Amino acid sequence: MSGTSAAGARKAAGVPRADRGRIAMNRWAVLVVLCSSLLLVAIDATVLHVAVPAVSEDLRPGSIQLLWIVDSYPLACASLLILFGTLGDRVGRRRVLLFGYALFAIASAVAAYAPSPGVLIAARALLGVGGAMIMPATLSILRQVFTDRRERAVAIGVWSAVAAVGAAVGPLVGGVLLEHFWWGSVFLVNIPLMAVSLPLARWLVPESVGGAEGPWDVLGALLAAGGLCGVILGVKQAGDGALFTPGAVVPLAVGAALLVLFVRRQRTRSHPLIDFSALARPAFGTAVGCIVLTVLALVGLALIAAQYLQLVLGLSPLETGLRLLPLSVAAIAAGLAGPRLLRALGPRVMVSLGFVLTAVAVLWLMGVGEQDRPGVLVLGFVLLGFGLETTLFGCYESMLNEAPVRQAGGAAAIGETAYQLGAGIGIALLGSVMNAAYAPGVREARGVPGEARADASQSLGAAHEVSAQLGGSAGEALREAARQAFVHGLHMTLLVSAALLLLGALAALRLPRGTGGGAQEESAQLDGPPRQGGGPADERGAADTQGQGPGPLLQGRVTHS
């Protein structure tokens, strides 16, 4: 890798052998701690879905405020992932992780007792900052600790399965709490997890830095944060039907310009935050692109599905969480089976088949309607969960395998940024499709005053409120028209998602066929200095970089305090 010196390699090899042995023995315990971090972030990302109606009833946010209550978390998180991922490479990934834990706990307490929509939006943004500290740290430490690809595949499978557990636990915990407590209790579940995670992480997780030389590029990190924030903000504004308004065009233009400046700055610096030449491998770029497509196609469906189950079928928050449980259980199974599937199929076939299976599941779910069809929902959610997790597992494993160890934080930040960017674009795009299909059906409702139709066309939740105010036959007619329009919008959204997933299946054909290749494994990190001459270590290095050019010499430092 450019910029890596022989002195840096000797520094990586000079880690005390006692520390290297302790890290090797504790790597599975480290995985448990990292997974608890991921569980925390995953719960917070999903727990609010079932609480949105309760939040709306209590705080009475406007439509824009409600959107920001949901979106401020992913916006803040996605904007700052590169900043904190690369900062962790310089100052210590565990240190950034622990700061993220602390901030996450504080923000959770503020969100739980937020007296107004503005305070809740600010607290959600702070949660996003904490998430931006935690997410790349977990992946980069995992990449640092698990140097053997087979073990790393198992670790990623467990990591992915825990993410699915978080997705399952979030709605369920939220539903249970909402049955007995106020909506703020959904944020308090973070605090007990923090009380356990902080001391365990301080005790078990090894501190690691990337070993990069030169100062941290503060200006470059701010350019990346500002650029991502502008692009995602513009996309969200465009998704609200304001595509050609200054509120969408200006942030998109400014964000894109800042990202161009960031990339150009990194390419000209001797010590960049992210070495794009080293991360420009086709497999890395393809894996990142597939993550965007996967999340873009599906993340909006989670919110739409929660609304469908609660507002169309009339299920309680707890019942909604239980209905979504098969999706998460299937995702857990796919994450645990991921390493075997990867060895049997290879990244290209595994990710492509995952995309196709997920597209089939999405098309199957078009069989749902105004009446409850539990069998269709269960089978569709099982196929959806298994296909989604299979795709994401293959993408993350390929991405981490291609990432140099010394830039693990930056590489993990790119992957997580892709996830969050896909989530933002997906909510905007699928939300736009849903609104375009839903609103006309409500405006054409017969026997309903024109002003009521206009108000109800904003969302299905608004339609329920307006119909309750109208009452009588007019209210019932409006409610029925809104349900029909929402189901029609759901079907159109599913078709768009299926098309995006099939596009992803084609894109995945650029991934490697087998599991060989990728970035050279850093055996010196745990096993001591590399051998000289034509020994087995050299043969492994040649095999690892076969077909990939000279391959970077990776360096890093790990300590345990």
Side-chain angles (χ1 to χ4, degrees), residues 37 139 209 221 340 352 356 368 381 391 399 416 454-455 488 501 540:
S37 308
L139 269 181
V209 296
R340 292 186 178 181
S352 296
V356 172
V368 302
F381 285 158
T391 304
M399 184 196 73
E416 295 298 339
D455 292 339
H488 172 67
L501 291 165
R540 281 198 308 272

Side-chain angles (χ1 to χ4, degrees), residues 112-126:
Y113 297 99
S116 66
V119 174
L120 183 56
I121 291 171
R124 288 278 291 168
L126 284 178

Side-chain angles (χ1 to χ4, degrees), residues 70-244:
V70 176
D71 290 344
S72 58
Y73 176 88
L75 175 63
C77 189
S79 301
L80 298 172
L81 283 167
I82 290 178
L83 188 153
F84 288 118
T86 57
L87 180 62
D89 286 340
R90 296 302 180 102
V91 305
R93 293 150 186 158
R94 184 185 64 177
R95 181 176 300 173
V96 173
L97 180 71
L98 296 179
F99 273 110
Y101 282 168
L103 183 58
F104 215 85
I106 294 170
S108 296
V110 175
Y113 297 99
S116 66
V119 174
L120 183 56
I121 291 171
R124 288 278 291 168
L126 284 178
L127 282 168
V129 177
M133 295 180 176
I134 294 170
M135 293 171 71
T138 60
L139 269 181
S140 57
I141 293 172
L142 185 151
R143 177 65 177 90
Q144 191 83 30
V145 172
F146 290 91
T147 57
D148 178 78
R149 181 165 188 178
R150 287 198 173 188
E151 285 193 348
R152 187 165 63 245
V154 174
I156 294 174
V158 174
W159 187 89
S160 302
V162 169
V165 170
V169 170
L172 282 174
V173 171
V176 171
L177 292 174
L178 288 173
E179 291 285 341
H180 300 92
F181 305 102
W182 91 115
W183 59 264
S185 61
V186 302
F187 295 106
L188 293 182
V189 298
N190 297 332
I191 297 176
L193 286 173
M194 294 284 51
V196 175
S197 297
L198 269 169
L200 285 178
R202 178 65 182 84
W203 177 42
L204 287 173
V205 176
E207 182 62 282
S208 63
V209 296
E213 300 174 356
W216 183 54
D217 184 10
V218 179
L219 178 59
L222 294 177
L223 286 174
L228 287 169
C229 183
V231 168
I232 296 173
L233 179 60
V235 167
K236 291 181 181 299
Q237 294 294 324
D240 295 334
L243 178 59
F244 299 107

Side-chain angles (χ1 to χ4, degrees), residues 24 42 61 170 226 243 276 305 373 393 406 429 457 464 497 538 557:
L243 178 59
F276 285 97
R373 301 184 65 183
F393 172 86
R406 71 189 295 269
L429 175 62
S457 66
H464 276 255
S497 297
D538 296 326
R557 291 188 291 116

Side-chain angles (χ1 to χ4, degrees), residues 170-483:
L172 282 174
V173 171
V176 171
L177 292 174
L178 288 173
E179 291 285 341
H180 300 92
F181 305 102
W182 91 115
W183 59 264
S185 61
V186 302
F187 295 106
L188 293 182
V189 298
N190 297 332
I191 297 176
L193 286 173
M194 294 284 51
V196 175
S197 297
L198 269 169
L200 285 178
R202 178 65 182 84
W203 177 42
L204 287 173
V205 176
E207 182 62 282
S208 63
V209 296
E213 300 174 356
W216 183 54
D217 184 10
V218 179
L219 178 59
L222 294 177
L223 286 174
L228 287 169
C229 183
V231 168
I232 296 173
L233 179 60
V235 167
K236 291 181 181 299
Q237 294 294 324
D240 295 334
L243 178 59
F244 299 107
T245 63
V249 174
V250 173
L252 275 173
V254 173
L258 291 176
L259 288 179
V260 169
L261 290 176
F262 169 72
V263 174
R264 292 183 62 181
R265 180 179 175 85
Q266 298 310 298
R267 289 186 179 277
T268 58
R269 288 182 63 84
S270 57
H271 304 294
L273 290 175
I274 298 175
D275 191 340
F276 285 97
S277 63
L279 301 181
R281 297 170 179 265
F284 187 92
T286 301
V288 171
C290 288
I291 291 172
V292 173
L293 278 174
T294 305
V295 181
L296 188 155
L298 294 170
V299 69
L301 293 181
L303 190 57
I304 294 173
Q307 294 176 355
Y308 168 77
L309 293 172
Q310 291 186 76
L311 299 178
V312 175
L313 299 185
L315 302 181
S316 68
L318 177 57
E319 291 171 331
T320 298
L322 291 173
R323 286 295 184 93
L324 293 172
L325 184 59
L327 187 151
S328 296
V329 172
I332 294 170
L336 296 177
R340 292 186 178 181
L341 289 175
L342 183 69
R343 290 194 297 270
L345 301 176
R348 180 185 301 179
V349 175
M350 181 179 182
V351 175
S352 296
L353 287 180
F355 271 120
V356 172
L357 179 61
T358 310
V360 169
V362 167
L363 293 175
W364 171 265
L365 286 172
M366 290 188 65
V368 302
E370 295 180 60
Q371 303 301 319
D372 191 4
R373 301 184 65 183
V376 173
L377 285 172
V378 169
L379 180 57
F381 285 158
V382 167
L383 294 176
L384 188 66
F386 197 91
L388 170 64
E389 183 60 26
T390 298
T391 304
L392 288 177
F393 172 86
C395 291
Y396 273 111
E397 202 284 336
S398 296
M399 184 196 73
L400 285 182
N401 183 63
E402 294 295 323
V405 175
R406 71 189 295 269
Q407 286 196 333
I414 290 176
E416 295 298 339
T417 300
Y419 190 103
Q420 296 295 332
L421 185 62
I425 297 174
I427 291 175
L429 175 62
L430 299 186
S432 298
V433 173
M434 167 60 76
N435 291 336
Y438 167 79
V442 178
R443 295 194 188 105
E444 296 172 1
R446 296 181 179 180
V448 180
E451 184 178 352
R453 292 199 304 266
D455 292 339
S457 66
Q458 297 180 8
S459 68
L460 183 57
H464 276 255
E465 292 182 4
V466 174
S467 65
Q469 294 172 0
L470 287 176
S473 60
E476 182 60 30
L478 178 59
R479 188 180 300 108
E480 181 62 25
R483 292 176 63 193

Side-chain angles (χ1 to χ4, degrees), residues 474-513:
E476 182 60 30
L478 178 59
R479 188 180 300 108
E480 181 62 25
R483 292 176 63 193
Q484 292 177 357
F486 188 90
V487 171
H488 172 67
L490 174 61
H491 289 168
M492 294 300 100
T493 303
L494 291 171
L495 282 175
V496 172
S497 297
L500 292 170
L501 291 165
L502 293 176
L503 179 63
L506 294 176
L509 296 178
R510 296 186 71 242
L511 290 171
R513 288 182 179 273

